[in-house]
């Protein structure tokens, strides 16, 4: 369906990943496919594509052949878009500059948290934060930046991204827990998901 609509999987990915970060949430993927008229079982399609079952879809999971091209194009675009202000943010090690960078690169801080917290643990350790910074092409001292964002704790938690992000995250987690409960109940022969 996507090939008939976009002529290539890379073009389809570009349309789905509007923020151009290489990762989309399940909700984003499903919403996009519905918006272009796909009527199949999108939950099953997403599950089949989401290799690591983390609730997100990366360009590699979507189409590994297109991933290399997308990454090369992304690097070129990012370099071309850099201006002195962005360059300063990419090298900064303070909390405010980090959030300014996220505001430039993501539609919302909640979306940024969703990409950072891929495994939905609610806490990010230094190594996961380093991988996130590499994706952002941050060139500063990630250990110092981690300490600033985590406010000297051992990990970054969703509350470090602000009350609104934390509220959205907790609401989403409650919804996922309810859905898991209802699915389990349905599998045991209980009530439907309605």
């Amino acid at each position: 369906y996507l090939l008939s609509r976009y002529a290539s999987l890379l073009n389809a990915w570009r349309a789905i990943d509007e923020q151009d970060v290489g990762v989309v949430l399940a909700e984003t993927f499903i919403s996009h496919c519905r918006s272009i008229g796909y009527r199949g079982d999108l939950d099953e399609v997403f599950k089949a594509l989401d290799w690591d079952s983390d609730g997100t879809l990366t360009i590699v999971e979507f189409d590994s052949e297109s991933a290399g091209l997308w990454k090369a194009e992304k690097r070129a675009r990012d370099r071309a878009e850099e201006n002195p202000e962005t360059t300063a943010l990419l090298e900064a090690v303070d909390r405010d500059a980090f959030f300014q960078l996220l505001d430039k690169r993501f539609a919302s801080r909640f979306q940024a948290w969703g990409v950072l917290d891929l495994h939905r643990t609610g806490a990010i350790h230094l190594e996961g934060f380093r991988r996130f910074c590499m994706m952002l092409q941050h060139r500063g001292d990630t250990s110092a930046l981690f300490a600033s964002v985590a406010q000297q704790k051992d990990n970054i938690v969703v509350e470090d991204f602000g009350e609104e992000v934390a509220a959205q995250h907790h609401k989403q987690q409650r919804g996922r827990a309810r859905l898991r409960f209802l699915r389990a109940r349905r599998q045991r022969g209980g009530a439907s998901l309605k």
Side-chain angles (χ1 to χ4, degrees), residues 4-172:
S4 67
R5 177 83 181 204
Y6 294 105
S8 77
L9 290 176
L10 181 57
N11 287 338
W13 179 260
R14 288 178 185 131
I16 295 166
D17 181 17
E18 292 179 2
Q19 299 305 313
D20 197 30
V21 293
V23 179
V24 294
L25 299 172
E27 296 83 12
T28 302
F29 176 80
I30 290 169
S31 173
H32 178 81
C33 290
R34 283 202 178 108
S35 75
I36 61 169
Y38 185 77
R39 299 292 173 233
D41 186 345
L42 286 165
D43 288 325
E44 287 303 315
V45 170
F46 188 84
K47 284 180 192 175
L49 292 171
D50 184 16
W51 300 344
D52 56 6
S53 301
D54 66 357
T56 63
L57 186 63
T58 66
I59 177 69
V60 173
E61 289 172 316
F62 181 74
D63 181 42
S64 59
E65 291 181 28
S66 298
L69 289 171
W70 179 85
K71 288 177 183 177
E73 289 175 0
K74 173 105 172 94
R75 279 192 297 274
R77 281 192 310 275
D78 286 348
R79 277 191 223 104
E81 291 173 2
E82 282 186 21
N83 58 39
E85 179 187 345
T86 304
T87 300
L89 293 175
L90 287 170
E91 295 170 353
V93 295
D94 68 277
R95 178 183 175 81
D96 292 336
F98 174 72
F99 286 119
Q100 286 175 22
L101 177 61
L102 294 184
D103 293 343
K104 285 183 171 290
R105 296 279 171 100
F106 293 93
S108 68
R109 289 190 186 172
F110 178 66
Q111 183 191 43
W113 175 258
V115 173
L116 177 59
D117 187 24
L118 286 177
H119 299 292
R120 307 291 182 258
T121 61
I124 308 303
H125 297 286
L126 178 58
E127 198 52 44
F129 185 73
R130 282 190 175 132
R131 285 192 297 272
F132 181 73
C133 286
M134 284 175 50
M135 182 201 73
L136 290 175
Q137 298 177 335
H138 182 267
R139 296 184 289 265
D141 180 348
T142 54
S143 295
L145 180 57
F146 178 86
S148 176
V149 174
Q151 300 179 34
Q152 307 304 319
K153 298 185 305 290
D154 291 336
N155 52 47
I156 296 172
V157 295
V158 68
E159 287 77 13
D160 292 325
F161 273 52
E163 290 178 21
E164 184 179 322
V165 174
Q168 287 177 294
H169 170 77
H170 295 307
K171 180 179 178 183
Q172 184 181 60

